[in-house]
Amino acid sequence: MSPILDPNREFINKWEMYKLLLCHSINNVQIPDTQLFSRESLSSMLIQYPLLYIKPIDSWGGKDISTFQQDGNSYIWTIQGQEAIILHDFNEIYHQIQQFYQDKSTIIQRGIPTVRFKDQPFDIRSHLYKEMNGSWVYAGDLIRIGGKGSIVSNIEISNGSVKPTHEVISTVFPTSNHTFSTEKLKTVSMEICQMLDQYHFFTEVGIDFGLDHLGNLWIIEVNTDDTQGAPDPYLFSLLPDQSSFNQIIDHKAKIYEKWMRHMVDSFEADKKEKRQEPN
Ligand SMILES: Nc1ncnc2c1ncn2[C@@H]1O[C@H](COP(=O)(O)OP(=O)(O)O)[C@@H](O)[C@H]1O
Ligand SMILES: [Mg+2]
């Protein structure tokens, strides 16, 4: 099974990434059951799981994400930032969801049984970059907390906030009775980057993790650099400690400088070669 790298954006979409993560079975992390959106997958996953997330395979920033659940004979569909739509007829609500996503390729993912921070959804973002020698560096992690009433933790779309990981962890797990550790977060993140190296030369990776009530890590999404940009380093500028942010920005500047030097060198070499050409 080889992942399909989008030829224009040069990224691995959410569906291909899910299949990749599944076949590489990374230790110490759970991967939420995911299927392509269809009438059948929606109805069968609804029987298996109390909450479903529906997402286009190539969107970002929490855009067009919705949740779907059943309460007795009511079906509840909530698009991020909008009032929930409640209907009693499965076919009718399926039709509305299908109309909303139209021709976009879309996935349904089991809602991760996440722990919440002050009744808000949150996720952990880890950020890694590739050094010139090809090795991965773990730049840091933080927690994004979704705004009031949000189903996502992307801060811009939900008017959310960013906090240091340890601050949120010590609030949601006041005792040491949980499995979360920063070391585990680092190891899993590193392993994902090394796995990705087998498929494409990515240079920056930002991973979104969910955390369950025991402190177990779940992979929500793996973001990489592509032709449209890279995982947002500015999230780290919102932390009281600026060291991760400075580290990422310094690295970007170093890469840019190296690239510029390479361009100038090849330009000079080209000029020299032309001068030496016999008339
Ligand atoms: N399966 C899920 N279970 C729980 N929360 C989820 C799930 N999928 C997404 N979310 C929430 O929605 C946010 C955005 O989802 P994500 O897949 O990262 O899409 P995007 O590319 O838009 O960031 C996540 O950061 C998380 O807060
Ligand atoms: Mg995300």
Side-chain angles (χ1 to χ4, degrees):
M1 183 173 66
S2 73
I4 296 162
L5 191 81
D6 182 280
N8 300 315
R9 221 177 109 183
E10 292 180 19
F11 83 123
I12 299 172
N13 71 43
K14 288 178 167 62
W15 174 239
E16 294 299 330
M17 191 64 86
Y18 165 73
K19 292 190 285 181
L20 205 59
L21 291 164
L22 207 60
C23 85
H24 281 271
S25 45
I26 291 155
N27 286 327
N28 291 317
V29 73
Q30 313 278 326
I31 299 159
D33 190 5
T34 304
Q35 293 186 35
L36 281 174
F37 176 79
S38 71
R39 195 186 179 288
E40 291 66 40
S41 56
L42 189 66
S43 84
S44 70
M45 286 182 82
L46 197 58
I47 295 167
Q48 281 177 281
Y49 305 111
L51 177 67
L52 303 177
Y53 269 77
I54 308 176
K55 333 189 234 193
I57 59 169
D58 58 358
S59 62
W60 50 274
K63 199 171 168 298
D64 292 341
I65 290 184
S66 64
T67 56
F68 189 58
Q69 57 204 119
Q70 186 171 7
D71 185 11
N73 59 1
S74 302
Y75 298 100
I76 307 162
W77 178 42
T78 312
I79 303 170
Q80 166 60 26
Q82 298 188 20
E83 286 287 313
I85 294 168
I86 304 173
L87 291 176
H88 300 298
D89 182 338
F90 180 81
N91 285 329
E92 202 179 323
I93 205 148
Y94 167 71
H95 187 66
Q96 288 203 17
I97 301 172
Q98 197 198 25
Q99 289 280 102
F100 179 75
Y101 288 104
Q102 292 211 344
D103 52 354
K104 281 187 206 137
S105 294
T106 305
I107 51 168
I108 310 175
Q109 192 166 68
R110 151 192 196 166
I112 297 164
T114 49
V115 62
R116 290 165 80 85
F117 177 74
K118 299 184 176 163
D119 207 30
Q120 298 304 120
F122 73 85
D123 69 3
I124 308 176
R125 163 63 65 92
S126 64
H127 192 110
L128 300 93
Y129 59 80
K130 190 176 269 167
E131 272 294 1
M132 306 288 191
N133 66 7
S135 65
W136 285 97
V137 175
Y138 188 88
D141 49 73
L142 51 76
I143 286 192
R144 300 185 301 172
I145 303 156
K148 283 254 167 313
S150 175
I151 59 166
V152 302
S153 48
N154 308 71
I155 61 166
E156 204 170 316
I157 202 169
S158 75
N159 207 11
S161 56
V162 162
K163 282 196 187 297
T165 308
H166 63 85
E167 201 178 305
V168 174
I169 294 293
S170 59
T171 308
V172 293
F173 299 119
T175 68
S176 59
N177 194 14
H178 63 85
T179 63
F180 176 81
S181 76
T182 308
E183 273 320 301
K184 208 190 274 180
L185 183 64
K186 283 186 189 172
T187 312
V188 169
S189 301
M190 279 287 191
E191 243 180 81
I192 291 173
C193 290
Q194 279 147 10
M195 178 276 281
L196 287 175
D197 278 344
Q198 297 171 40
Y199 298 94
H200 187 67
F201 189 84
F202 292 113
T203 58
E204 269 186 281
V205 169
I207 309 170
D208 299 339
F209 291 96
L211 209 58
D212 68 22
H213 290 77
L214 300 172
N216 297 319
L217 289 171
W218 293 66
I219 297 177
I220 296 175
E221 182 190 31
V222 178
N223 303 278
T224 64
D225 61 300
D226 61 31
T227 56
Q228 291 182 7
D232 191 1
Y234 294 99
L235 287 171
F236 287 86
S237 73
L238 305 173
L239 289 174
D241 176 356
Q242 298 282 292
S243 56
S244 292
F245 177 64
N246 291 337
Q247 193 185 335
I248 299 167
I249 295 300
D250 286 354
H251 174 73
K252 278 183 185 289
K254 216 165 71 185
I255 295 278
Y256 183 72
E257 196 189 304
K258 176 132 180 158
W259 180 77
M260 285 302 277
R261 212 178 311 132
H262 172 76
M263 294 292 281
V264 170
D265 286 354
S266 33
F267 178 73
E268 293 295 334
D270 206 35
K271 237 170 52 183
K272 198 169 153 196
E273 204 174 290
K274 284 214 174 90
R275 254 189 266 121
Q276 283 169 353
E277 269 172 21
N279 286 325

